[in-house]
Every structure is written in structure tokens, then in C-alpha cells.
Amino acid sequence: MATQKLAVPPLSSVLNLFDFEAVARRVLTPNAWAYYSSGADDELTLRENHSAFHRIWFRPRVLRNVRDVRLETVFLGSPTKLPIYITATALGKLGHPQGEVALTRAAGTRGIVQMMPTLASCSLDEMMDAAVPGQSQWFQLYVNPNRELTRKIVQHAEARGCKGLFITVDAPALGHREKDMRTKFEIDAPKVQGSVSERTQGAARAISGFIDPTLDWDDIRWFRSITKMPIALKGIQTAEDALLAHQHGIDAIVLSNHGGRQLDTSRSAIEILVEVMSALEHEGIVGKMEVYVDGGFKRGSDIVKALALGATGVGIGRPFLYAMSGYGQEGVERALDLLKDEMEMVMRMLGARSLKELTRSMVITKDLTTHAGVSIRDNLSEQIYEPLAYTSVDPAKLPASKL
Ligand SMILES: Cc1cc2nc3c(=O)[nH]c(=O)nc-3n(C[C@H](O)[C@H](O)[C@H](O)COP(=O)(O)O)c2cc1C
């Protein structure tokens, strides 16, 4: 549980999502910070997710009467006030006593969609009961080898009114999140999927042991037979798999590397988006399947870049967890308000009054796929590596031959 006693700066002094991260780092317990902030292995993908945005530059248009800028759109048939959603992140109560319900309520007041995690600290019913009338929620699924249990969970989510099933496909094995693995898992596990088998190697290992590595494209037909919810695959990372998803009748894909928590040195989510959109265009199927993207989004400009590149919407994980950890529901609402202000400002200066007016020609991506010469700091090895020790020598003590 977070130590909420630590004084936090007034919410009004928080001006961007990085500020929330700085506060969260102080208020979270070391274990909670390790679980939320960790990435896989050397955390290169974790850092690349955000730094990739620095390689995309804008081409703003002018003289377009941008007094009114509109950010509304539709996600899987549900209207949303902003082109972003709160993505699924497990164990909300590590950050705040209300857990994911604080995220539900903030999504409700701001009119956006929440994706509820299988491994939430709160039950699905608690999250759904906390929603305001008309609020849309999606359900993220980790598939259990016990398909009867999986069927029950999915059909319960549908019966409760979930508007989409997001099957996570990027975790057939769990990434080595070493910061997390150094901690012990000491709280109660989410109840839905059976017991905790291993508590000594961090939160992720404790709660995720049940995930089925045999999951296959052939299973999609079975999912179709058990639910009428739109089905999305979360964790697509190549054009090939995006096209396969379309061929299997999938309604939406989430281009994601799981926030850098799975395969280290897999590409940034935004780089995958460029590849996937060009493949969909080549096949003439843009718009036939919704394309979401998550990972490393921290600024309104990051979101606008993804939308200009053709994304239907953007998922955001850690920044909302951090906002919740410091300030609960109000923090998440402020994070959303800050992003909205940033997006509106960027759109005005780009010359786009609505999401439809954001076009591919407004961004330059030629450097995005260039990894040579781009340095992502390798923090871990830089800290551990010790250069050849050099001790200065008193010349008076050197033999005459060395002088
Ligand atoms: C603490 C934490 C827990 C997560 N839990 C899940 C999960 O249970 N299921 C899932 O599909 N993705 C999970 N993710 C991945 C997120 O859904 C999302 O892909 C990622 O956080 C996006 O990157 P961002 O945190 O940089 O916004 C988790 C991410 C974090 C940081």
C-alpha cells in the first residue's frame, strides 16, 4: 500500500505527466515503484518508447481559423471525448487504496474509455459499479489454459456490459523485469485466476503464472463463438501480424510492446504504427480494423503524432498510475485535463480543428526507423561498468628508467 502520509506538492503545481512520475516515485513503497516503473532486461524498449517521439517532427499549416478545436471521436462504437483511453495495468491498489476504481471514476468524469485488467486489485464488478451511466469500459484478458474459466470470465464481462474484449497476445512468457524481481510480493493477489505460486520474485511473477503459452491464431474462432463483444488483440508488433489479425476477423489491434515490459529491444510502439499503417494502406484495408497504440505517451504532442499517422486512439498506462498514486481520482483527472490542453494547443498550432484534419503530411518520420547513431542510455550497464582503475603515481617513487 502506498504511504499516503508523505506530503505531496499541490495538484495545481503539477504541470505535466513527468511531474506526476516524480511525485509517485516519492510516495510509492519501493516494491510498488519497482512493479509500476520496471521494464524488461536493460529497459531499452521502455526508454525507446518515449524517445522515439523525439525523432518525429511536425510540418504545421497556418491560417486555418483554429478557434474551435474538437477532440471527440468514436472507439469501437462508443463515443469518447478524447482520443485516448486508460489502458489495463494490474494491481492498482499498490498505488492507491481505491485501486482501479479511482481510474474508472476519472474516466467517467472525463468521458473516456477505461480498459479494465484481468489482474486488477478491484473486481470487475467493483469497476463496473463505479462507472457513470453511459460510460464505456473494455475488458483486458489474459488467457487461462482452463478455457472453461476463461469462458466464464469473458461472458461475465459481456453480461456486465463491457464494450470490447482485448486479448493480450504479447505475454506467452513473462519479461524479466529485474527491478521488480528483486522484491517480494507481499499483498493479496487478484482472486480471479487461482493462487500465487511464487512470491520471492516480484509482483509480476507472483500473479501471472497462469497465462497460457499455447495461445494461437486458431483460438480466435473459439473466442468468436463465446462472445459477441468486439475482439481486439493487444500486443501486435509487426505488419504481418496486423494483416493476420484482419484475416481472422479481428475488430481492433493494439500496437504495443507492453510498455517495454516484455521483449527488450523490440521496437517502439510508434515505429510499429508507421509500418502497420503502410501495410494496411497497401492492402486497401485502412479503416476496416481499428488501430490503437500504447507505450511511452507522455505529451499531447506524442498523441497528436500517433493520430496524424493514422491511429484510431492512444492507450496510456503508467502516467495514470503515477497520477493516481500521488493524488487518487483527482490526480488522474488533472492528468487528463493537462493532456487535453496540450493536445488542443498542438492541434491549433498544427492547423487541425478536428482529428480528421490531422494528416500524415503533418509529420516527418524519416528518422524514426533510424536506430544507428541514436543513443538510448543503457543505464544499467553504465552504472555497473567500472573502467580500468587508474591510480596516480608519485613520480618520486618511480624507478629512473620510467621517468
Ligand atoms: C504496472 C503495469 C501493469 C500492467 N499490467 C498489464 C496487464 O495486466 N495486462 C496487459 O495487457 N498489459 C499490462 N500492462 C501494459 C499496459 O497495458 C500498456 O501496454 C503499457 O503500460 C503502455 O505503456 P505506458 O505505461 O508507457 O503508457 C501493464 C503495464 C504496467 C506499467
Side-chain angles (χ1 to χ4, degrees), residues 59-64 66 347-352 359 361-362:
R59 295 182 69 243
R61 302 300 305 273
V62 295
L63 293 173
R64 288 188 159 182
V66 285
M347 297 223 345
R348 274 202 182 89
M349 292 194 280
L350 260 186
T359 58
S361 63
M362 287 172 167

Side-chain angles (χ1 to χ4, degrees), residues 119-155:
L119 294 171
S121 309
C122 301
S123 70
L124 180 97
D125 290 317
E126 285 171 317
M127 290 180 278
M128 299 225 62
D129 290 343
V132 292
Q135 181 175 342
S136 293
Q137 287 161 292
W138 294 331
F139 181 60
Q140 174 269 323
L141 182 74
Y142 276 135
V143 179
N144 194 306
N146 178 344
R147 291 296 149 88
E148 187 47 26
L149 181 60
T150 298
R151 187 186 60 74
K152 276 197 191 132
I153 293 170
V154 169
Q155 292 183 343

Side-chain angles (χ1 to χ4, degrees), residues 242 251-255 273 276-277 280 287 289-293 310-314:
D251 300 286
I253 50 177
V254 183
L255 309 179
L273 176 67
V276 165
M277 292 315 297
L280 298 186
M289 178 174 69
E290 297 191 0
V291 180
Y292 297 92
V293 57
T312 313
V314 165

Side-chain angles (χ1 to χ4, degrees), residues 44-45 47-58 266-272 274 302 305 309 363-376:
L44 298 177
T45 295
R47 284 188 288 282
E48 164 70 356
N49 266 348
H50 182 66
S51 48
F53 291 110
H54 303 161
R55 306 202 297 278
I56 303 178
W57 294 80
F58 284 125
S266 57
R267 296 170 301 165
S268 68
I270 194 75
E271 184 176 338
I272 300 164
V274 175
D302 302 338
K305 285 173 184 174
L309 289 167
V363 283
I364 303 169
T365 56
K366 77 175 169 52
D367 293 332
L368 189 54
T369 51
T370 312
H371 295 265
V374 175
S375 91
I376 314 168

Side-chain angles (χ1 to χ4, degrees), residues 183-189 196-203 206:
T183 69
K184 269 203 186 105
F185 183 63
E186 281 162 340
I187 61 163
D188 286 340
V196 166
S197 48
E198 170 62 75
R199 283 186 177 270
T200 59
Q201 295 204 348

Side-chain angles (χ1 to χ4, degrees), residues 257-319:
N257 52 40
H258 214 109
R261 291 160 83 80
Q262 285 294 98
L263 181 62
D264 201 21
T265 62
S266 57
R267 296 170 301 165
S268 68
I270 194 75
E271 184 176 338
I272 300 164
L273 176 67
V274 175
E275 174 180 297
V276 165
M277 292 315 297
S278 108
L280 298 186
E281 209 168 299
H282 185 259
E283 298 296 315
I285 51 173
V286 173
K288 303 272 183 233
M289 178 174 69
E290 297 191 0
V291 180
Y292 297 92
V293 57
D294 78 24
F297 288 83
K298 293 175 202 261
R299 286 280 185 193
S301 57
D302 302 338
I303 299 163
V304 169
K305 285 173 184 174
L307 297 167
L309 289 167
T312 313
V314 165
I316 300 184
R318 291 186 190 81

Side-chain angles (χ1 to χ4, degrees), residues 74-131:
V74 176
F75 287 171
L76 290 174
S78 300
T80 167
K81 293 234 165 77
L82 301 173
I84 54 183
Y85 61 90
I86 301 179
T87 190
T89 48
L91 298 182
K93 284 193 182 170
L94 281 178
H96 192 272
Q98 281 181 8
E100 293 81 5
V101 156
L103 300 173
T104 309
R105 295 199 174 116
T109 66
R110 294 304 181 265
I112 65 159
V113 177
Q114 175 197 22
M115 188 196 295
M116 299 175 292
T118 293
L119 294 171
S121 309
C122 301
S123 70
L124 180 97
D125 290 317
E126 285 171 317
M127 290 180 278
M128 299 225 62
D129 290 343

Side-chain angles (χ1 to χ4, degrees), residues 123-273:
S123 70
L124 180 97
D125 290 317
E126 285 171 317
M127 290 180 278
M128 299 225 62
D129 290 343
V132 292
Q135 181 175 342
S136 293
Q137 287 161 292
W138 294 331
F139 181 60
Q140 174 269 323
L141 182 74
Y142 276 135
V143 179
N144 194 306
N146 178 344
R147 291 296 149 88
E148 187 47 26
L149 181 60
T150 298
R151 187 186 60 74
K152 276 197 191 132
I153 293 170
V154 169
Q155 292 183 343
H156 180 62
E158 181 167 8
R160 285 293 331 250
C162 272
K163 298 282 190 276
L165 177 68
F166 283 67
I167 305 171
T168 299
V169 294
D170 59 12
L174 201 66
H176 264 195
R177 307 163 198 167
E178 292 166 10
K179 219 193 300 179
D180 180 43
M181 287 168 74
R182 288 186 216 286
T183 69
K184 269 203 186 105
F185 183 63
E186 281 162 340
I187 61 163
D188 286 340
K191 301 274 179 318
V192 280
Q193 304 263 3
S195 59
V196 166
S197 48
E198 170 62 75
R199 283 186 177 270
T200 59
Q201 295 204 348
R205 279 194 152 49
I207 60 176
S208 315
F210 67 88
I211 301 171
D212 187 355
T214 72
L215 194 66
D216 204 299
W217 288 105
D218 295 339
D219 291 301
I220 305 295
R221 209 174 316 123
W222 179 75
F223 281 106
R224 273 278 173 240
S225 76
I226 63 161
T227 182
K228 297 218 159 13
M229 284 187 280
I231 298 180
L233 300 181
K234 176 175 180 292
I236 296 290
Q237 298 195 57
T238 58
E240 292 91 317
D241 283 341
L243 295 178
L244 273 174
H246 176 68
Q247 285 157 22
H248 283 80
I250 289 295
D251 300 286
I253 50 177
V254 183
L255 309 179
S256 168
N257 52 40
H258 214 109
R261 291 160 83 80
Q262 285 294 98
L263 181 62
D264 201 21
T265 62
S266 57
R267 296 170 301 165
S268 68
I270 194 75
E271 184 176 338
I272 300 164
L273 176 67

